Amino acid sequence: MSNYTAASAYPWKTALKQYRMLAAEAGPAPADGWNRERKLALVQQIVHAYKKVQDHDGAIIDPYSGAERYYSTPAYAMAAAVLVDAGQLELLDSAAAALSHSIDAVVKGSAPDHHPDFYPVLMMRAYMLLKSHRPEQAAIWAEALRTIDPEEDYVFTMTKMNNANRMINWNAIMISGEYLRWREQLASVNTAWMDRYLEAYHLPRFTALGLYQDGPLDRPNSPFSYDIATRYHLGVMLDAGYEGAVADALRDRLRDGAFSSLLMLSPLGEIPPRGRSSQHQWNEAAAAYVCSLHAALASEAGDSVMAGAFARAANRCFEAVERWLMPDGRLKIVRNEYAPEQRHGYEIYTNHTCYNLWTAAALAHACLRDPGESIIPAYLPSEIGDRVLQTDGWFETVLASVPGQQIVLHTALNDPYTIPGMVRIQQAGLPGLIGPSAAGHAQAGFTEFAEGVVQPLSYCPAWMTPDGVWHSLAQGIPSGSDYDRDAGIDPACGGGSIVYEAEAPIAAAENESGNKLNKAMAGSGVKAVESAGQNAFQITWKGHFSGISAVRGRYVQRADELIVTYEFEGRIEAAGALIPLMYSDGQEQAVVTHTERSVRTAYRGAYVESEACNPGVNVKLDPQAVASRNGLLKQARMEAYGAQQLTFTVRLGSM
């Protein structure tokens, strides 16, 4: 069997190799019920929901603002065109009208909200799929498309901005569509101008892990959402046949990035949270395309294990999106149950209609690249084995998984939008939000909340200084400058550093833990094992904290419990730990209870319980609700007076 694998210098090569061996030994994963027909049906539900708000000019009108917004219309045209191509000819007139309107918007400079850069890949794919159905109209489309001048008709170009730091995801997304226009012989210049942008401004943004660092070149803020979105679009471009000057380098980076996405995907099919646009449904829709593409590429290379892994990952991404489908066919575009008009967890630029349809378009692209049912699914990395992964570049994230459970920690000390500490726990068979699934913010940044106080909150160390004041790692270190949500923060600002240390592999846990794992994973599709392994690692944060010079977190992750120890360097009156508790998703409220030593939240048939191991610990529950993307959190604080360290356990399960 051939190997579809990463470059020799890939930082997670050992983890990837170990996973491959485990997946091969484990054999096929159980069927998950996903096929191309079900995927198209999901796209169809979203498209039909928005066909109802298409006006006589072909534009899709957002029902909440009463106007066409962003790139809703070309996204609709593309998704509807994929359905037409699949035989749903009743959508032909609607898709064609949306495409005509979209082309006119770019040619006339009238794209809503000044977002023409997102149009070309959507309208070109729609054109390619619809032209055979409407040859006469296609000639009119082609004539208009030939008039586009990329440097003048789009926004994020050097001609318009003359600023290398602004050549971000917008520019890459635009280029992916412009390549399709060139491939269709509708552009007058060759791909050399694309090569220059890709080589000068986009290849330098990739880390050794193949992750795309969005934001200014000198201090990228690196949201995982714009990493996956950019790789999705560049993948479309490469898959369409791009062979320009940087094609080989780009191909290597996108392949390595796909392996990183596979290794980072949670057992529930979600990418890690970090930065703006986190937990929007289009994150996983973009990941669905990336995984679908690389499932097909691995299959073509003769690697059945990696083809099966990527195929299962793509299915999990579809499932992660479908979970938030509303009865009328629209999606809750951010992972909470608030009504769309409340905009809870939305960014200032988030639009319900646009992000429903962009999600549909990305899923439609994944359907076009669906690897087929002949591929035998393999277990995901988060379903078998145990591993701890530290991201590179500016992503500042550590991910650890044992079979069926993943934890995510952020290490940045001075970014009020991405706070340090453990921010997510997800476990197969349990609600995705129970862990919880997102932290609080020090500043709202781009994000809007319908209710709840904005304050930093994660599983993290807390301590009382001799003056009687409590502090926490979530507060980070002041950067010494005003926070710029667009530019982000240089990690060097304010000082501080982190040291990550992996501990030696630990023998498999006792049979009791293995039996608990088997019981917990029953019916979840996760590989049951006779005994469960564990991860052990520690992170030391150093810097100008109030009253201390450093704090160390040691994490032992087992199948049935997570054991966390915080140790403080400095003079303190009490050691503590902040515990975030899922409280409300906007529809259902959790039941939060606590004793002197423990605190528990019960939500949608599941629970998370944290219990102190130190003697004499008190648990204080703050009545204030804290805003998060997923709804509301509550904050508990464990307090151990006269101690320099604190240990507690976290257990999750079904009720």
Side-chain angles (χ1 to χ4, degrees):
M1 181 184 73
S2 301
N3 277 1
Y4 185 71
T5 191
S8 58
Y10 180 64
W12 292 348
K13 196 170 185 67
T14 299
L16 185 62
K17 182 179 179 180
Q18 291 172 341
Y19 159 68
R20 175 193 290 277
M21 293 173 57
L22 287 171
E25 292 171 1
D32 54 20
W34 281 94
N35 54 29
R36 189 169 186 267
E37 287 68 33
R38 183 176 172 185
K39 294 173 182 179
L40 286 169
L42 176 56
V43 175
Q44 178 183 352
Q45 289 186 75
I46 303 170
V47 167
H48 277 272
Y50 283 97
K51 185 177 184 293
K52 300 172 185 176
V53 294
Q54 186 175 34
D55 71 10
H56 64 277
D57 292 325
I60 304 300
I61 305 302
D62 174 48
Y64 299 102
S65 60
E68 183 186 8
R69 300 301 307 275
Y70 298 100
Y71 35 93
S72 300
T73 303
Y76 175 89
M78 187 268 161
V82 169
L83 295 174
V84 169
D85 185 63
Q88 298 184 34
L89 297 179
E90 71 277 7
L91 289 169
L92 178 56
D93 289 345
S94 177
L99 176 57
S100 294
H101 183 83
S102 300
I103 294 172
D104 285 348
V106 174
V107 171
K108 297 176 181 177
S110 60
D113 304 301
H114 309 291
H115 273 61
D117 302 51
F118 292 79
Y119 276 57
V121 69
L122 298 167
M123 63 187 186
M124 284 308 306
R125 183 63 75 187
Y127 167 81
M128 293 161 68
L129 293 170
L130 296 176
K131 63 180 182 179
S132 63
H133 295 279
R134 289 286 177 82
E136 292 184 5
Q137 193 169 13
I140 298 172
W141 291 332
E143 183 179 357
L145 288 167
R146 287 190 183 95
T147 68
I148 294 174
D149 179 349
E151 288 291 332
E152 296 297 333
D153 291 329
Y154 302 118
V155 176
F156 278 66
T157 65
M158 287 298 286
T159 298
K160 288 284 188 68
M161 292 192 168
N162 194 29
N163 183 348
N165 278 332
R166 298 301 285 162
M167 297 303 102
I168 57 172
N169 71 88
W170 285 49
N171 179 262
I173 290 169
M174 175 269 288
I175 286 172
S176 69
E178 280 297 300
Y179 173 76
L180 296 181
R181 190 167 70 95
W182 179 84
R183 201 196 81 162
E184 289 294 305
Q185 301 180 343
L186 300 176
S188 58
V189 295
N190 61 26
T191 63
W193 71 272
M194 304 179 197
D195 299 339
R196 290 193 295 271
Y197 274 108
L198 292 168
E199 185 171 18
Y201 309 121
H202 298 299
L203 286 181
R205 295 179 179 278
F206 282 93
T207 73
L209 287 171
L211 303 178
Y212 182 89
Q213 301 181 109
D214 197 52
L217 283 165
D218 59 346
R219 50 174 178 171
N221 44 54
S222 302
F224 277 121
S225 53
Y226 291 97
D227 156 57
I228 196 67
T230 307
R231 288 192 284 118
Y232 148 49
H233 283 92
L234 293 175
V236 168
M237 175 179 168
L238 271 179
D239 196 45
Y242 170 76
E243 288 294 344
V246 298
D248 288 341
L250 189 59
R251 189 174 291 110
D252 289 345
R253 285 160 175 78
L254 294 183
R255 184 187 61 247
D256 289 353
F259 285 117
S260 296
S261 290
L262 179 66
L263 289 167
M264 292 192 298
L265 195 69
S266 86
L268 301 183
E270 296 185 25
I271 71 170
R274 189 188 195 282
R276 64 192 182 95
S277 293
S278 174
Q279 301 206 64
H280 285 53
Q281 307 298 352
W282 59 258
N283 293 192
E284 282 64 37
Y289 173 80
V290 170
C291 293
S292 297
L293 171 63
H294 288 274
L297 293 175
S299 180
E300 292 164 12
D303 190 331
S304 60
V305 172
M306 283 303 171
F310 278 118
R312 185 169 173 84
N315 292 352
R316 282 292 168 87
C317 291
F318 268 89
E319 189 172 289
V321 175
E322 185 190 58
R323 201 173 291 131
W324 294 93
L325 195 66
M326 295 190 289
D328 66 0
R330 298 176 301 158
L331 294 165
K332 296 288 181 77
I333 57 171
V334 178
R335 291 192 164 92
N336 64 58
E337 296 288 355
Y338 287 82
E341 56 268 25
Q342 293 182 274
R343 297 185 59 81
H344 188 91
Y346 284 29
E347 310 295 34
I348 57 171
Y349 50 75
T350 296
N351 176 263
H352 196 260
T353 295
C354 180
Y355 278 173
N356 256 277
L357 290 169
W358 198 33
T359 299
L363 294 176
H365 253 130
C367 290
L368 289 177
R369 222 12 177 133
D370 185 79
E373 295 180 51
S374 62
I375 292 178
I376 300 173
Y379 287 98
L380 300 179
S382 57
E383 294 178 318
I384 53 174
D386 41 84
R387 63 194 57 81
V388 184
L389 304 169
Q390 182 184 25
T391 58
D392 60 356
W394 298 52
F395 286 94
E396 302 170 298
T397 300
V398 174
L399 305 98
S401 61
V402 293
Q405 185 193 90
Q406 183 194 71
I407 62 174
V408 179
L409 295 98
H410 290 151
T411 59
L413 283 171
N414 64 355
D415 186 344
Y417 204 53
T418 305
I419 65 169
M422 187 163 64
V423 299
R424 169 181 285 179
I425 308 175
Q426 287 196 336
Q427 187 162 304
L430 301 182
L433 307 189
I434 184 67
S437 186
H441 299 289
Q443 292 185 24
F446 290 92
T447 314
E448 301 173 329
F449 298 107
E451 58 181 338
V453 65
V454 175
Q455 71 179 52
L457 177 58
S458 65
Y459 288 96
C460 72
W463 64 95
M464 178 189 279
T465 47
D467 59 2
V469 177
W470 278 98
H471 309 273
S472 78
L473 182 72
Q475 295 169 328
I477 296 176
S479 65
S481 59
D482 292 335
Y483 174 57
D484 184 329
R485 66 188 182 191
D486 288 301
I489 291 287
D490 186 333
C493 290
S497 63
I498 73 109
V499 177
Y500 164 79
E501 300 170 88
E503 298 188 7
I506 300 174
E510 297 178 357
N511 287 337
E512 180 183 357
S513 294
N515 291 335
K516 288 180 179 178
L517 175 68
N518 290 340
K519 182 178 179 181
M521 297 298 102
S524 69
V526 175
K527 181 69 173 179
V529 294
E530 293 183 359
S531 61
Q534 66 179 32
N535 295 313
F537 63 97
Q538 62 183 29
I539 299 173
T540 303
W541 287 272
K542 300 180 180 181
H544 301 293
F545 301 109
S546 297
I548 63 171
S549 59
V551 58
R552 180 174 297 105
R554 183 174 186 267
Y555 304 86
V556 178
Q557 184 189 24
R558 297 173 179 161
D560 58 343
E561 69 177 356
L562 177 66
I563 305 170
V564 182
T565 299
Y566 298 140
E567 300 174 353
F568 302 87
E569 295 182 12
R571 185 184 168 199
I572 62 174
E573 290 296 305
L578 291 189
I579 309 294
L581 303 158
M582 180 60 194
Y583 181 59
S584 173
D585 59 16
Q587 181 181 85
E588 182 162 329
Q589 185 170 304
V591 176
V592 177
T593 56
H594 72 102
T595 67
E596 285 189 354
R597 301 178 54 81
S598 67
V599 63
R600 173 185 173 109
T601 183
Y603 165 79
R604 294 188 181 271
Y607 71 88
V608 178
E609 184 172 36
S610 298
E611 182 175 6
C613 300
N614 296 48
V617 170
N618 291 316
V619 173
K620 299 286 183 66
L621 183 63
D622 190 331
Q624 177 65 59
V626 178
S628 85
R629 289 190 190 279
N630 304 124
L632 298 174
L633 306 175
K634 282 292 184 76
Q635 172 184 296
R637 186 173 64 223
M638 294 180 175
E639 303 176 355
Y641 286 84
Q644 289 290 125
Q645 73 171 45
L646 175 68
T647 299
F648 64 96
T649 61
V650 183
R651 296 184 178 89
L652 298 83
S654 298
M655 296 171 61

